[in-house]
Amino acid sequence: MEEGMLFFWFSWIFWILVTFFMNRGKLRTYLAYWILLSIIVSPFYVVIGQYFVHLTVIILLLGTMVLIAKQPRIPYYLFASFTVTIGYTALLLWEKISPIWLIIPRTLLIAVIIGCLVSILSSYFHSRISICLFGFLSGEIIYSLILYSYGFQEEIGEMQFLDTLLSTLLLLTIIDILYKGKTKLSRYVAKLQTKFEVAK
């Protein structure tokens, strides 16, 4: 599969979810514009010093900072994001040093590992998304800086990175939808049990 296809597919899925399933408000408008802007600028990059930085990374980083600033416990979310940053950077370095150990596709492996880590660090969906985004973006920047110090030139925020990021976000969204569905089903079953007990 061509690099970037998952990014575009999942970005449109997120845009549909935000536009048609979220309650009306400033948050919905902000997220919808943010996703569309990320899709639009994805082919472009800027040169900062010796580094090639894709505009999508800058747009996502600015938006993520706004999301984290709105969270109630900012120091905790920054610490959790730092944990994700270390984990993501370590996985990329592990892949670079010994790629033979990657027995399943890179995108799937990183998405599952980081998705599990983020789910442990936070129990609320919005905070999970914020932690995941900030951790991934910081990890990508640190990874590129480390490689550059050894003489390797890598673009910051290339399509393979965006595929992995969006796959992880989709995994977190599916986990949240399943959890909410389980909660509603449990409430429905409890109501049915109450009705049967009353009928007896």
Side-chain angles (χ1 to χ4, degrees):
M1 185 182 287
E2 189 179 340
E3 287 184 4
M5 290 301 294
L6 292 177
F7 167 70
F8 290 116
W9 285 351
F10 295 160
S11 293
W12 283 115
I13 289 171
F14 278 119
W15 185 81
I16 290 168
L17 289 174
V18 166
T19 306
F20 297 108
F21 294 100
M22 278 186 71
N23 296 325
R24 287 186 178 182
K26 289 183 179 179
L27 181 62
R28 185 181 83 164
T29 307
Y30 167 75
L31 290 176
Y33 283 131
W34 188 32
I35 294 168
L36 283 177
L37 190 59
S38 299
I39 294 170
I40 291 167
V41 302
S42 60
F44 307 107
Y45 63 86
V46 292
V47 180
I48 302 174
Q50 296 94 1
Y51 306 105
F52 295 88
V53 184
H54 282 261
L55 283 176
T56 307
V57 171
I58 296 170
I59 297 296
L60 289 175
L61 193 59
L62 293 174
T64 305
M65 287 179 181
V66 173
L67 284 178
I68 287 185
K70 291 184 176 181
Q71 300 295 336
R73 297 181 298 162
I74 295 175
Y76 173 75
Y77 290 118
L78 289 175
F79 176 75
S81 299
F82 180 67
T83 306
V84 173
T85 299
I86 293 171
Y88 178 70
T89 307
L91 285 171
L92 291 182
L93 290 172
W94 177 46
E95 178 198 20
K96 201 75 173 175
I97 293 168
S98 55
I100 197 168
W101 290 104
L102 294 178
I103 54 175
I104 60 176
R106 168 192 194 265
T107 303
L108 182 62
L109 178 67
I110 293 176
V112 169
I113 292 173
I114 300 297
C116 292
L117 179 61
V118 171
S119 298
I120 292 169
L121 291 170
S122 178
S123 55
Y124 299 105
F125 179 65
H126 289 103
S127 57
R128 282 179 181 174
I129 295 296
S130 303
I131 290 168
C132 181
L133 277 169
F134 197 68
F136 257 91
L137 294 165
S138 305
E140 177 71 7
I141 292 168
I142 290 172
Y143 172 70
S144 298
L145 294 177
I146 290 171
L147 286 187
Y148 185 79
S149 67
Y150 285 101
F152 297 102
Q153 184 74 42
E154 290 236 356
E155 295 178 2
I156 299 175
E158 58 190 358
M159 283 299 176
Q160 192 175 19
F161 160 73
L162 295 175
D163 285 346
T164 308
L165 174 62
L166 267 291
S167 300
T168 309
L169 294 178
L170 188 67
L171 177 65
L172 291 174
T173 305
I174 291 170
I175 290 171
D176 187 64
I177 290 170
L178 291 175
Y179 177 74
K180 287 179 179 175
K182 178 192 162 196
T183 306
K184 286 183 179 179
L185 185 64
S186 301
R187 288 176 185 168
Y188 181 71
V189 170
K191 284 181 183 177
L192 282 178
Q193 287 178 344
T194 307
K195 285 181 182 178
F196 284 133
E197 287 174 4
V198 169
K200 288 180 183 178

